[in-house]
């Protein structure tokens, strides 16, 4: 019998189990009254603490951990034991903590998931559960608005990590809560155990997934068909984000017009890089028609980014053909051309070059000499692929070369910020997928941009949830990019930044969410029709009001307690 076959149904609203965020019953900021009513009085030390004291203790404990993975584990434990304190800490220290719960540290956490595993933080669904997915979803004890789902088959640039990929949905959803205020108990991290092509993992006794090789594309399709239907039946308003699948194009094509879903690696990445690119173009002064973009990497992210920029070029007045001819995509076999001799994967065909006169360009250096690009993007998973020679050549060719090494984690970045600054003599317009520290160059502090989909996916998800969008349209994705590109302060612009300061991410997510909701309305996909009548300012206020605020959770407990006390006194 399949493991799911004998699963019992449980009520949707049950919150008696703990495979989910705690409500903070043991929070030392709870008042004496709260503790008495929660029956935790006497179970925590007597002082009622301010956040400042809690923060100081947590930060001291965090910094006392010697390694990034030690800090990751400390934060995971805090989230599991006191969810509101975790989010208070995260929202106040977003710059320091994001690299610990997200890229780069989450990469190491995934690589070592079966070794460091401590507690359940989401759901795992196996291929052998097929036929029972709806029943198994009943085991999740909360209502869900947002899920991030992966099969672990392309985790960052680290390859197929099977169910160890769970760190990614967990990390992305923590950012949904921190950046866009989706309640932690409304988020479902979901990992599909569809086998793994990683033989070393299959032979590792500690590995926590099934030992089967990766299922076929057809088997995956049937499984995903059932999953999408089950998720939407279980939670009708759910928004589903696909993440880190090896070949995510077929599922996006199949579900995007039927469900409220999007693919973060194709669409979220496309949007965030477009936003930074719009600002880079303003600074470089090179018009769309003169742009020549070389992309190292022609996978989901590379093609996703190139397609979003094509749409921007079209809005700038180019025809579709002119726009797509501004791109030269390079994969592991060299420049993608019509006559290269291999059968191109379907997603590469749109950008394949017909004009190479029979000559094949194998190395990135050769392609750069041939194309003389204004833009160099890296979505290849090859750390260090932008060599000093290549970066210098970009600087020879351009006054302000656009250099975006976007592969994650940091070890896979095509170059570092320091290298880009050094070899372009400080002239590059730079963004990387994982964060790099600012640096001093000729008496000036230069700050790298972080071109990471974290700037848009929280707002795309929240916009789809609040507008109750039936689908996530291309218009909504494009709107997230446009909104992000406008979200910089005058000070950030004067410093030549391409993206807003990450510490303002919550306010930035409000702007992105507003743009996404407006686009849903324009495309006629919204079902929350009352939002159509709100002015932009009122809509932004509505979004803010709907966002979970970990600093107000204590007040909510107090209000619940008062209500309960009144109820008891009436008995
Ligand atoms: N900054 C961000 O927000 C995001 C960054 N990424 C990063 O982008 C990278 C790629 O992701 P996907 O496109 O989804 O992966 P993918 O597996 O779909 O594509 C990888 C591409 O790189 C090419 N490639 C591999 N080795 C190469 C080599 N030696 N020379 C030239 N090309 C080579 C492959 O042929 C393929 O076209 C990953 O490191 C991922 O972490 C992905 C999504 C978002
Ligand atoms: C950031 C992200 O989604 C990736 O590297 O896959
Ligand atoms: Mg990803």
């Amino acid at each position: 019998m399949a493991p799911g076959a004998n699963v019992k149904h449980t009520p949707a609203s049950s919150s008696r189990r703990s495979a989910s965020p705690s409500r903070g019953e043991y929070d030392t900021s709870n008042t004496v009254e709260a503790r008495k009513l929660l029956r935790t009085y006497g179970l925590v030390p007597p002082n009622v603490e301010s956040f400042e004291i809690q923060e100081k203790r947590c930060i001291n404990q965090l910094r006392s951990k010697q390694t990034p993975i030690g800090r990751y584990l400390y934060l995971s434990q805090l989230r599991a034991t006191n969810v509101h304190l975790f989010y208070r800490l995260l929202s106040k220290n977003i710059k320091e903590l994001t690299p610990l719960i997200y890229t780069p540290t989450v990469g190491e956490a995934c690589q070592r998931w079966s070794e460091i595993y401590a507690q359940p933080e989401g759901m795992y669904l196996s291929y052998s559960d097929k036929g029972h997915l709806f029943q198994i979803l009943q085991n999740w004890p909360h209502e869900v608005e947002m899920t991030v789902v992966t099969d672990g088959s392309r985790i960052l640039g680290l390859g197929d990590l099977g169910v160890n990929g769970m760190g990614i949905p967990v990390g992305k959803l923590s950012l949904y809560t921190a950046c866009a205020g989706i309640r932690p108990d409304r988020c479902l991290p979901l990992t599909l155990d569809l086998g793994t092509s990683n033989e070393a993992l299959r032979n590792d006794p500690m590995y926590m997934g099934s030992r089967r090789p990766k299922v076929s594309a057809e088997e995956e399709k049937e499984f995903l068909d059932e999953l999408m239907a089950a998720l939407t039946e279980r939670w009708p308003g759910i928004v589903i984000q696909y993440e880190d699948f090896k070949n995510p194009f077929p599922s996006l094509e199949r579900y995007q017009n039927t469900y409220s879903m999007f693919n973060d690696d194709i669409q979220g990445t496309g949007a965030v890089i477009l936003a930074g690119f719009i600002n880079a173009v303003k600074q470089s002064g090179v018009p769309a028609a003169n742009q020549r973009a070389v992309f190292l990497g022609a996978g989901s992210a590379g093609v996703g980014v190139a397609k979003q920029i094509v749409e921007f070029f079209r809005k700038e007045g180019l025809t579709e053909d002119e726009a797509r001819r501004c791109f030269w995509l390079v994969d592991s076999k060299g420049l993608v051309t019509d006559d290269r001799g291999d059968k191109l994967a379907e997603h590469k065909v749109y950008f394949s070059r017909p004009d190479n006169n029979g000559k094949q360009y194998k190395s990135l250096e050769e392609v750069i000499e041939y194309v003389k690009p204004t833009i160099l993007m890296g979505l290849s998973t090859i750390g260090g692929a932008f060599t000093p020679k290549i970066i210098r050549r970009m600087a020879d060719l351009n006054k302000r070369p656009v250099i975006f090494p976007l592969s994650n984690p940091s070890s896979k970045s095509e170059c570092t910020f320091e290298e880009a600054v050094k070899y372009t003599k400080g002239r590059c317009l730079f963004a990387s997928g994982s964060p790099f520290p600012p640096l001093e160059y000729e008496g000036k502090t230069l700050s790298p941009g972080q071109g990471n989909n974290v700037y848009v996916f929280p707002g795309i998800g929240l916009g789809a949830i609040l507008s109750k969008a039936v689908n996530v349209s291309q218009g909504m994705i494009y709107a997230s990019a446009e909104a992000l590109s406008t979200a910089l302060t005058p000070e950030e612009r004067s410093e030549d930044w391409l993206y807003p300061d990450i510490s303002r991410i919550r306010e930035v997510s409000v702007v992105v969410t507003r743009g996404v909701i407006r686009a849903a309305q324009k495309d006629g996909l919204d079902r929350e029709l009352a939002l159509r009548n709100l002015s932009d300012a009122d809509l932004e206020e509505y979004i803010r009001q709907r966002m979970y605020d970990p600093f107000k959770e204590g007040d909510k407990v107090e209000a619940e307690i008062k209500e309960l006390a009144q109820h008891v006194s009436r008995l």
Side-chain angles (χ1 to χ4, degrees):
M1 195 193 301
N6 57 2
V7 169
K8 289 208 183 79
H9 286 243
T10 53
S13 59
S14 159
S15 59
R16 63 200 151 65
R17 278 167 301 147
S18 63
S20 53
S22 79
R23 295 181 67 222
E25 291 89 338
Y26 298 95
D27 194 323
T28 55
S29 71
N30 287 339
T31 61
V32 170
E33 280 161 328
R35 293 174 192 200
K36 284 182 179 167
L37 271 139
L38 291 166
R39 305 191 69 171
T40 56
Y41 186 81
L43 302 185
V44 277
N47 276 3
V48 174
E49 293 192 309
S50 65
F51 171 65
E52 285 66 33
I53 293 293
Q54 292 181 311
E55 181 184 30
K56 200 168 172 190
R57 180 182 303 115
C58 290
I59 289 291
N60 283 343
Q61 289 181 4
L62 180 74
R63 290 185 186 154
S64 74
K65 311 288 172 204
Q66 298 304 311
T67 57
I69 205 70
R71 293 176 179 190
Y72 177 91
L73 287 171
Y74 172 78
L75 291 168
S76 299
Q77 196 211 358
L78 184 62
R79 183 175 46 223
T81 52
N82 191 343
V83 71
H84 305 310
L85 178 57
F86 169 80
Y87 283 109
R88 290 199 290 272
L89 194 71
L90 181 54
S91 63
K92 283 278 177 197
N93 299 276
I94 195 100
K95 214 172 215 154
E96 178 175 348
L97 267 54
T98 301
L100 296 172
I101 59 161
Y102 189 50
T103 184
T105 310
V106 73
E108 186 184 351
C110 289
Q111 287 175 309
R112 299 172 59 185
W113 194 255
S114 298
E115 172 199 337
I116 64 173
Y117 178 85
Q119 65 253 326
E121 292 173 283
M123 287 196 88
Y124 297 85
L125 295 173
S126 292
Y127 188 71
S128 56
D129 296 329
K130 196 161 159 282
H132 308 283
L133 301 185
F134 180 73
Q135 280 166 285
I136 297 168
L137 290 178
Q138 305 296 324
N139 279 348
W140 188 253
H142 299 284
E143 286 303 306
V144 174
E145 291 181 319
M146 189 74 223
T147 186
V148 174
V149 57
T150 187
D151 69 345
S153 58
R154 192 285 282 146
I155 291 298
L156 308 176
L158 302 169
D160 186 342
L161 300 184
V163 300
N164 289 359
M166 179 55 112
I168 290 292
V170 169
K172 294 253 175 191
L173 284 162
S174 288
L175 293 171
Y176 262 106
T177 300
C179 306
I182 298 181
R183 287 195 66 81
D185 52 358
R186 298 279 164 112
C187 293
L188 170 62
L190 182 52
T191 294
L192 308 179
D193 176 25
L194 302 182
T196 174
S197 56
N198 185 332
E199 211 180 322
L201 274 188
R202 294 205 304 265
N203 293 327
D204 176 359
M206 295 287 277
Y207 177 59
M208 300 172 95
S210 64
R211 261 64 192 163
R212 60 173 304 148
K214 185 80 193 161
V215 302
S216 70
E218 186 57 28
E219 287 169 323
E220 177 182 303
K221 187 183 87 180
E222 285 168 11
F223 187 92
L224 293 179
D225 279 356
E226 182 184 333
L227 177 72
M228 295 303 279
L231 283 170
T232 311
E233 189 180 345
R234 172 79 169 89
W235 297 292
I238 196 170
V239 178
I240 302 163
Q241 170 172 323
Y242 272 61
E243 191 70 47
D244 290 6
F245 279 72
K246 177 68 195 155
N247 176 17
F249 291 97
S251 52
L252 179 61
E253 179 116 326
R254 193 166 170 81
Y255 304 125
Q256 64 184 344
N257 297 320
T258 315
Y259 296 102
S260 190
M261 65 83 66
F262 68 101
N263 181 287
D264 186 40
D265 297 297
I266 304 172
Q267 298 173 292
T269 314
V272 79
I273 302 312
L274 171 58
F277 180 73
I278 290 173
N279 289 325
V281 165
K282 280 186 196 143
Q283 289 180 35
S284 74
V286 178
N290 295 350
Q291 295 283 3
R292 299 167 73 78
V294 166
F295 277 50
L296 188 69
S300 34
V303 169
V305 171
K307 283 211 164 152
Q308 293 297 337
I309 300 179
V310 163
E311 198 169 332
F312 170 67
F313 283 172
R314 291 189 65 192
K315 285 181 202 272
E316 294 287 292
L318 269 59
T319 65
E320 183 177 354
D321 219 45
E322 286 166 347
R324 80 178 158 131
R325 291 293 166 239
C326 296
F327 295 84
W328 285 260
L329 267 52
V330 181
D331 65 12
S332 53
K333 298 193 181 109
L335 183 65
V336 177
T337 60
D338 289 358
D339 57 1
R340 198 168 71 171
D342 57 331
K343 182 163 167 32
L344 293 179
E346 216 171 296
H347 63 271
K348 296 179 189 174
V349 172
Y350 183 82
F351 289 108
S352 171
R353 302 294 311 194
D355 52 356
N356 51 313
N357 296 320
K359 185 158 168 23
Q360 308 306 327
Y361 300 86
K362 294 282 175 216
S363 71
L364 182 59
E365 273 183 33
E366 282 178 278
V367 175
I368 286 179
E369 275 322 306
Y370 167 56
V371 177
K372 307 216 167 23
T374 53
I375 302 161
L376 181 59
M377 298 262 178
L379 290 145
S380 66
T381 77
I382 306 298
F386 298 170
T387 58
K389 189 172 172 199
I390 284 172
I391 301 170
R392 276 199 201 99
R393 187 68 185 126
M394 286 299 291
D396 290 344
L397 292 167
N398 301 282
K399 215 156 97 192
R400 305 289 320 262
V402 175
I403 300 180
F404 283 15
L406 297 167
S407 289
N408 296 317
S410 318
S411 60
K412 304 290 175 184
S413 189
E414 285 80 2
C415 67
T416 64
F417 182 46
E418 200 177 342
E419 288 161 344
V421 168
K422 185 170 164 192
Y423 300 120
T424 62
K425 300 203 165 69
R427 285 186 282 123
C428 59
L429 292 160
F430 179 94
S432 56
S434 296
F436 284 109
L439 54 85
E440 297 296 317
Y441 185 79
E442 294 186 346
K444 236 186 124 186
T445 304
L446 301 181
S447 299
Q450 192 180 351
N452 190 294
N453 44 37
V454 64
Y455 275 109
V456 290
F457 66 71
I460 296 173
L462 184 62
I465 291 167
L466 294 183
S467 62
K468 301 198 172 127
V470 280
N471 305 140
V472 178
S473 63
Q474 172 48 28
M476 291 159 74
I477 300 291
Y478 194 88
S480 72
E482 267 186 335
L484 175 60
S485 76
T486 65
L488 285 83
T489 61
E491 295 73 42
E492 287 163 353
R493 284 194 193 284
S494 73
E495 297 281 320
D496 282 359
W497 288 15
L498 304 179
Y499 293 99
D501 190 336
I502 194 79
S503 49
R504 294 197 307 107
I505 186 69
R506 224 173 138 93
E507 201 39 43
V508 169
S509 293
V510 171
V511 177
V512 173
T513 303
R514 194 242 300 150
V516 171
I517 293 176
R518 287 289 186 237
Q521 294 168 347
K522 196 165 159 221
D523 289 348
L525 296 170
D526 57 322
R527 286 173 291 184
E528 190 62 284
L529 300 182
L531 301 190
R532 291 185 179 189
N533 303 325
L534 298 182
S535 66
D536 280 354
D538 286 349
L539 182 55
E540 288 196 359
E541 196 43 37
Y542 173 85
I543 295 163
R544 277 186 207 101
Q545 293 301 326
R546 289 292 306 268
M547 288 165 87
Y548 157 82
D549 181 348
F551 287 92
K552 292 197 179 139
E553 286 302 306
D555 301 346
K556 279 194 190 154
V557 174
E558 289 289 303
E560 269 176 43
I561 286 164
K562 279 197 187 119
E563 207 180 293
L564 198 69
Q566 278 170 7
H567 181 69
V568 170
S569 73
R570 282 199 297 270
L571 291 178

